[in-house]
Structure formats: C-alpha cells, structure tokens
C-alpha cells in the first residue's frame, strides 16, 4: 500500500510519517528532507533548492519531479509514504505518469487538516536534530533536557524557514499551489480528509483506520 500525506506547513506530515515508518515499516520519501540533505552536502541540487526554500517559495517542479523519481527507484517496491510531494497540480500529474511507468498506485491521499492559528504555533515552536530525524516542540512535545535530543543527545536546532515572516510566505504558497490538490485527489477518488488536531497518536489512529 502506497500513500501520500499533504497539507499546510506544520500540519504534522513529518510527525505522522515517522510513526508510520516505526509502526508499519513503510519507506518515507520527504522532498523537504531530501532538499535539506542536498543543501547540507552542498550539491548543485541543494544550491538551487536553497534559493527558494530560504524565502519559503516552492522549488521548481522540474527539479523536484526528477528527484522523486530517483527516490522511487531506490525504494525498489517497498510500501512508500510521500510527504510533501506532490504540492502542485503539475507535480500531481507528473506523479501519475511516474506511477504508470513503475506500475504503482497511491491507495490513499491523506489531507491533514489543521486550522491556521495552530500552524504558526506548531512551526515557531518546532526544534529538531540537524538531520531532521527527531522532531520536538517547545510546548507540545518538549525534550526531557531543554535543547537536547532525548534519543541521540545531539543539540536541537530551529529550521531556517521556521521564522514567522518565512512561515507566512510558506502558508501563502500552500494556499495558492497546494490546496488545489484536494480537488485533484477528490476527483481521482482517493482523497481522505484527516482531522490533524489533537494528540499525534490520535491523528495516527485516524490514518491507520484506512490502512
Ligand atoms: P517541507 O519540509 O515539506 O515543509 P512543509 O510542507 O512546510 O511542512 P513542515 O515540514 O514544516 O511541517 P510538517 O507537516 O512536516 O509538520 P511536523 O510533523 O514537522 O518543505 C520545506 C520547503 O522545501 C518548502 O517550503 C519548499 O520550499 C521546498 N519543497 C519541499 N517539497 C517541495 C515540493 N514538492 N515542491 C516544491 N518545493 C518543495 O510538525 C510541526 C510541529 O508541530 C513539530 O514541532 C511537531 O512536534 C508538532 N506537531 C505535529 N503534530 C502535532 C500534533 N498533533 N499536536 C501538537 N503538535 C504537533
Ligand atoms: Mg515536514
């Protein structure tokens, strides 16, 4: 079973993906994480993506789709979770072409619904390890020792695009480019709208009900 998670910045896509990986053994493909890793490794893809990400703009579709195809091939038939891809209608169309090519399908397109006033709070309070693998929140999921990862002991950092002015631009990009995907997947018949409020484990149960 292959799924995708979409929704506004801070909706909990990464949090739910981590739970699905741990409890269901699925493979996680996050375009945001892939771009951040390319930036860290200073590859040409990373340098290109950084120009857009630092401002909260979307990276061009041409760059993004090729990167996802490589990742689909690398996962070699494992059940996948697409996190943050597609996030434009042209990306969703390009994904359909890839799915046909590799004889795959998306069983459930989960849309995580969270009211705007909660999103800003979730994003400004988010802290994580440098690789983004372990994510906390100052108020909703604080680490045992402030500023330190419970699991690895690494210092926690704040994402560069989690500043209020950049978040505002990310929310604008979401409204303009990503929200229309709801209609796209509704028409395809695999849209599942999930209430993304409440405890992460409650959101997880709402998702698992469909799996
Ligand atoms: P990306 O990294 O995908 O960022 P995003 O979509 O803005 O989403 P976030 O990662 O910020 O939020 P999330 O939904 O994962 O929430 P999380 O679980 O962390 O993309 C970054 C940038 O890369 C984009 O702006 C763009 O430039 C570029 N990009 C990426 N993909 C692209 C694409 N396909 N096309 C073009 N450009 C692309 O949770 C947030 C916080 O809330 C955490 O602190 C968490 O602990 C907390 N939290 C989570 N769930 C709950 C809950 N139920 N209750 C309380 N707190 C919670
Ligand atoms: Mg994320």
């Amino acid at each position: 079973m292959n799924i995708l998670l979409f929704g506004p910045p801070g909706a909990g896509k990464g949090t739910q993906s981590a739970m699905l990986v741990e409890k269901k053994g699925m493979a996680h493909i996050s375009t945001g994480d892939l771009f951040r890793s390319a930036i860290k490794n200073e590859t040409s893809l990373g340098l290109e993506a950084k120009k857009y990400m630092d401002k909260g703009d979307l990276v061009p579709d041409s760059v993004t789709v090729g990167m996802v195809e490589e990742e689909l091939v690398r996962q070699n038939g494992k059940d996948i979770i697409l996190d943050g891809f597609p996030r434009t209608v042209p990306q969703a169309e390009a994904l359909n072409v890839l799915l046909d090519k590799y004889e795959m399908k998306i069983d459930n397109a989960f849309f995580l619904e969270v009211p705007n006033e909660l999103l800003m709070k979730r994003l400004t309070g988010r802290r994580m390890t440098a690789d983004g693998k372990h994510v906390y929140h100052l108020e909703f999921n604080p680490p045992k020792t402030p500023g330190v990862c419970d699991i690895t002991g690494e210092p926690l950092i704040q994402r560069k695009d989690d500043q209020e002015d950049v978040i505002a631009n990310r929310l604008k990009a979401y409204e303009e480019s990503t929200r229309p995907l709801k209609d796209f997947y509704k028409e395809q018949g695999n849209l599942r709208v999930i209430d993304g409020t409440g405890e992460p484990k409650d959101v997880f149960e709402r998702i698992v009900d469909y799996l």
Side-chain angles (χ1 to χ4, degrees):
M1 159 143 347
N2 301 306
I3 66 166
L4 63 85
L5 293 175
F6 73 110
K13 303 181 291 292
T15 301
Q16 295 303 320
S17 295
M19 294 170 89
L20 286 161
V21 169
E22 194 193 317
K23 306 216 160 100
K24 300 276 168 196
M26 299 174 79
H28 181 206
I29 302 179
S30 155
T31 42
D33 287 351
L34 290 169
F35 285 136
R36 278 184 290 277
S37 145
I39 290 172
K40 190 163 161 263
N41 295 328
E42 297 180 344
T43 65
S44 54
L45 175 82
L47 292 175
E48 177 68 10
K50 191 174 178 347
K51 290 193 276 186
Y52 300 92
M53 288 173 77
D54 282 355
K55 289 187 280 180
D57 291 336
L58 295 185
V59 180
D61 293 342
S62 52
V63 178
T64 309
V65 174
M67 181 177 80
V68 170
E69 179 166 12
E70 274 178 31
E71 207 46 36
L72 284 181
V73 172
R74 211 172 66 82
Q75 293 303 340
N76 197 21
K78 261 186 108 174
D79 286 351
I80 55 160
I81 310 161
L82 288 171
D83 160 2
F85 178 90
R87 69 174 82 196
T88 65
V89 170
Q91 285 183 15
E93 286 162 347
L95 174 63
N96 280 350
V97 173
L98 291 180
L99 293 170
D100 277 350
K101 180 170 168 188
Y102 296 106
E103 296 179 356
M104 295 169 72
K105 72 174 176 115
I106 296 292
D107 300 280
N108 297 291
F110 291 109
F111 172 72
L112 294 180
E113 197 162 43
V114 175
N116 265 356
E117 54 275 18
L118 254 183
L119 297 173
M120 188 56 91
K121 216 172 169 190
R122 284 192 183 180
L123 291 170
T124 51
R126 174 168 55 188
R127 298 293 184 274
M128 55 176 63
T129 50
D131 61 8
K133 286 215 171 89
H134 305 287
V135 179
Y136 297 84
H137 190 281
L138 295 179
E139 188 182 334
F140 305 136
N141 177 26
K144 291 192 186 88
T145 308
V148 180
C149 177
D150 294 347
I151 297 154
T152 65
E154 287 168 86
L156 298 178
I157 58 151
Q158 185 170 25
R159 236 167 75 175
K160 224 177 156 180
D161 59 351
D162 277 348
Q163 308 293 333
E164 265 187 57
D165 53 337
V166 184
I167 294 171
N169 199 35
R170 286 162 61 201
L171 288 169
K172 192 164 153 266
Y174 161 75
E175 287 297 336
E176 285 171 8
S177 305
T178 310
R179 191 186 274 281
L181 286 180
K182 254 183 107 172
D183 284 339
F184 183 93
Y185 285 108
K186 194 173 175 188
E187 221 154 274
Q188 263 195 198
N190 54 354
L191 175 72
R192 319 280 179 237
V193 178
I194 299 288
D195 173 5
T197 64
E199 293 285 317
K201 65 170 178 28
D202 297 332
V203 180
F204 182 69
E205 273 171 25
R206 291 173 203 139
I207 292 175
V208 168
D209 271 350
Y210 285 99
L211 302 184

